[in-house]
């Protein structure tokens, strides 16, 4: 294989890191779709991660960071430029501080109907009276592993994000939600490499958290690690929440990207006189598209908000099914649905009418 100029440059600048060419990316995503990376590397230490990101930014190289690939649709042609798999994992418990209130947010857009036992457990937690624990977590750390590791140390708060198959960095970028919480409510600060290659720390107010959104959607910054304010709480009670919340989410299909679209706003729900803002409800009960299939991409029979890969789906199949849902929603309800997944490697023309 002839070395690309990008591969040759990276190998010259960072000889201690192994860079590969045309590496298939589909196996590294939860939906198992997508073409290869032009140049690919994995990093396992914070120093390596910072070094690779800084070199890419300082040399104006196209750069994509992948964590667990749980909410990204990669084009069939793959991703040009450098793709980095961030495998840096680590948790540091820094300090205990007095109780302080959490930031209050409007969760009506995404909250689901919880079993009564979960609501009872949530009320029993009494977080406003608990001491807070400052914990530093590397961005490549898997969310599920983090939750269990912290609960074993009596540190609670993140149990509501059980069964989200992502990394801490990905959860922050997309402000993941679980129960009645956004993960951004627990983030005190994030330390990042900015678009010039400098390392800076951003506090919670600078992170622009919103529904399925943070500032990282519109900046070129890469998260290295984040400091969280969690709780010295009742670990047994938190484990009950984790167990019951995990069962609540067990209906979600595996070979998918999670919920494809953002739920409706309160105004959109009221304008349509709908009983729920849930996209799953809209796709299933209003648009009657549940089970629709293009190629091997199918709107899940288990949950109308999910599109599954039945085995050999292409990104083009997946994209056309997304387009069909958007078109029917506009035609039938005059609603423009907004995807909450991230598209990588597509041209603007391919995404026209979708984002």
């Amino acid at each position: 294989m002839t070395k690309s100029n990008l591969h040759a440059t990276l190998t010259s600048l960072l000889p201690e890191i192994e860079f590969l060419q045309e590496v298939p990316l589909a196996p590294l995503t939860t939906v198992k779709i997508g073409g290869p990376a032009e140049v690919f590397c994995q990093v396992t230490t914070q120093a390596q991660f910072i070094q690779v990101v800084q070199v890419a930014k300082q040399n104006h190289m196209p750069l994509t960071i992948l964590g667990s690939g749980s909410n990204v649709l990669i084009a069939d042609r793959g991703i040009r430029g450098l793709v980095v798999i961030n495998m840096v994992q680590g948790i540091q418990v820094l300090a205990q501080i007095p109780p302080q209130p959490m930031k209050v947010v409007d969760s009506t857009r995404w909250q689901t109907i919880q079993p009564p036992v979960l609501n009872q457990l949530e009320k029993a937690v009494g977080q406003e009276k608990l001491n807070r624990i400052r914990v530093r977590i590397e961005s490549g750390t898997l969310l599920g592993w983090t939750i269990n590791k912290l609960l074993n140390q009596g540190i609670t708060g993140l149990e509501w994000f059980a069964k989200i198959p992502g990394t801490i960095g990905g959860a922050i970028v997309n402000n993941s939600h679980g129960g009645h919480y956004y993960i951004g409510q627990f983030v005190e600060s994030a330390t990042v490499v900015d678009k010039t290659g400098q390392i800076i720390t951003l506090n919670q107010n600078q992170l622009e958290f919103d529904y399925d959104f943070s500032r990282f959607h519109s900046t070129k910054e890469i998260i290295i690690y984040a400091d969280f304010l969690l709780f010295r709480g009742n670990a047994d009670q938190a484990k009950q929440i984790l167990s019951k919340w995990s069962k609540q989410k067990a209906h979600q299909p595996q070979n998918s990207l999670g919920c494809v679209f953002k739920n409706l706003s309160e105004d959109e729900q009221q304008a349509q006189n709908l009983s729920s803002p849930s996209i799953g409800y809209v796709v299933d009960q209003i648009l009657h598209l549940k089970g629709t299939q293009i190629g091997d991409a199918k709107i899940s029979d288990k949950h109308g908000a999910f599109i599954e890969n039945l085995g050999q789906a292409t990104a083009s199949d997946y994209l056309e099914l997304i387009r069909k849902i958007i078109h029917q929603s506009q035609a039938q309800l005059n609603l423009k649905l907004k995807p909450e997944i991230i598209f990588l490697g597509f041209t603007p023309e391919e995404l026209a009418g979708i984002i």
Side-chain angles (χ1 to χ4, degrees):
M1 178 185 296
T2 302
K3 286 188 177 181
S4 70
N5 290 336
L6 179 61
H7 182 274
T9 301
L10 283 165
T11 301
S12 172
L13 292 172
L14 296 170
E16 68 280 11
I17 295 176
E18 183 180 21
F19 294 96
L20 305 174
Q21 296 185 87
E22 303 301 329
V23 173
L25 295 175
L28 303 178
T29 70
T30 56
V31 77
K32 309 305 179 191
I33 289 175
E38 179 183 357
V39 180
F40 173 93
C41 76
Q42 294 183 353
V43 293
T44 56
T45 69
Q46 187 188 102
Q48 280 184 335
F49 187 41
I50 292 172
Q51 193 176 26
V52 168
V53 171
Q54 287 180 326
V55 164
K57 288 186 174 297
Q58 290 163 359
N59 289 276
H60 308 290
M61 298 173 179
L63 174 66
T64 301
I65 308 296
L66 284 184
S68 60
S70 59
N71 72 326
V72 295
L73 181 64
I74 297 173
D76 295 319
R77 71 175 65 83
I79 302 173
R80 299 299 86 188
L82 172 63
V83 176
V84 179
I85 299 292
N86 177 14
M87 300 181 69
V88 184
Q89 299 205 59
I91 299 172
Q92 297 178 64
V93 179
L94 300 179
Q96 178 168 297
I97 62 177
Q100 56 179 266
M102 288 180 64
K103 185 176 182 180
V104 177
V105 297
D106 177 11
S107 63
T108 55
R109 239 182 120 146
W110 55 263
Q111 64 183 339
T112 55
I113 299 173
Q114 295 184 163
V117 67
L118 276 176
N119 286 317
Q120 293 164 11
L121 284 168
E122 182 177 16
K123 291 176 183 176
V125 169
Q127 290 177 330
E128 70 280 356
K129 298 178 182 179
L130 298 175
N131 284 327
R132 305 299 294 270
I133 305 293
R134 182 176 287 114
V135 179
R136 179 166 296 172
I137 310 176
E138 299 287 340
S139 61
T141 310
L142 293 173
L143 187 52
W145 183 83
T146 298
I147 294 167
N148 289 317
K149 191 80 170 177
L150 290 172
L151 287 181
N152 288 337
Q153 298 179 65
I155 300 173
T156 67
L158 296 185
E159 58 274 5
W160 293 101
F161 306 97
K163 300 296 285 185
I164 295 176
T167 62
I168 288 293
I172 293 171
V173 168
N174 294 302
N175 197 17
S176 294
H177 45 74
H180 292 139
Y181 300 98
Y182 288 113
I183 203 163
Q185 292 176 267
F186 299 88
V187 176
E188 182 181 39
S189 65
T191 296
V192 308
V193 180
D194 71 11
K195 61 183 180 181
T196 68
Q198 299 299 307
I199 297 175
I200 61 172
T201 297
L202 305 165
N203 63 40
Q204 185 189 60
N205 291 334
Q206 294 174 293
L207 297 177
E208 301 174 19
F209 286 124
D210 202 344
Y211 171 56
D212 287 333
F213 182 82
S214 71
R215 68 182 278 149
F216 303 107
H217 283 232
S218 55
T219 70
K220 301 294 185 181
E221 298 155 340
I222 305 297
I223 302 170
I224 305 169
Y225 61 81
D227 287 355
F228 286 74
L229 286 183
L230 302 174
F231 300 96
R232 181 66 73 188
N234 185 326
D236 290 336
Q237 191 175 64
K239 288 177 181 179
Q240 289 183 58
I241 291 173
L242 184 150
S243 175
K244 294 180 186 301
W245 188 240
S246 295
K247 290 176 182 176
Q248 173 78 356
K249 295 170 70 87
H251 63 282
Q252 297 178 358
Q254 295 303 305
N255 281 1
S256 74
L257 293 175
C259 186
V260 174
F261 297 101
K262 296 182 179 182
N263 286 339
L264 305 185
S265 68
E266 187 173 1
D267 288 343
E268 288 171 330
Q269 180 186 354
Q270 290 178 354
Q272 299 295 330
N273 194 29
L274 300 175
S275 61
S276 171
S278 165
I279 285 298
Y281 165 79
V282 171
V283 171
D284 182 9
Q285 300 296 318
I286 307 301
L287 302 180
H288 304 293
L289 289 174
K290 194 165 156 183
T292 301
Q293 185 173 337
I294 295 177
D296 255 6
K298 180 181 179 181
I299 299 174
S300 175
D301 291 323
K302 297 179 181 178
H303 195 306
F306 291 70
I307 298 177
E308 294 182 80
N309 175 7
L310 300 182
Q312 300 297 322
T314 65
S316 297
D317 295 335
Y318 210 93
L319 209 59
E320 282 309 302
L321 198 46
I322 289 174
R323 200 181 301 278
K324 183 178 181 67
I325 297 169
I326 290 174
H327 176 76
Q328 192 150 328
S329 175
Q330 286 177 315
Q332 191 169 331
L333 301 173
N334 196 30
L335 280 175
K336 176 63 168 71
L337 300 184
K338 302 176 182 66
E340 67 176 38
I341 62 176
I342 295 172
F343 301 91
L344 298 175
F346 295 93
T347 67
E349 292 75 20
E350 289 170 325
L351 297 177
I354 293 178
I355 60 173

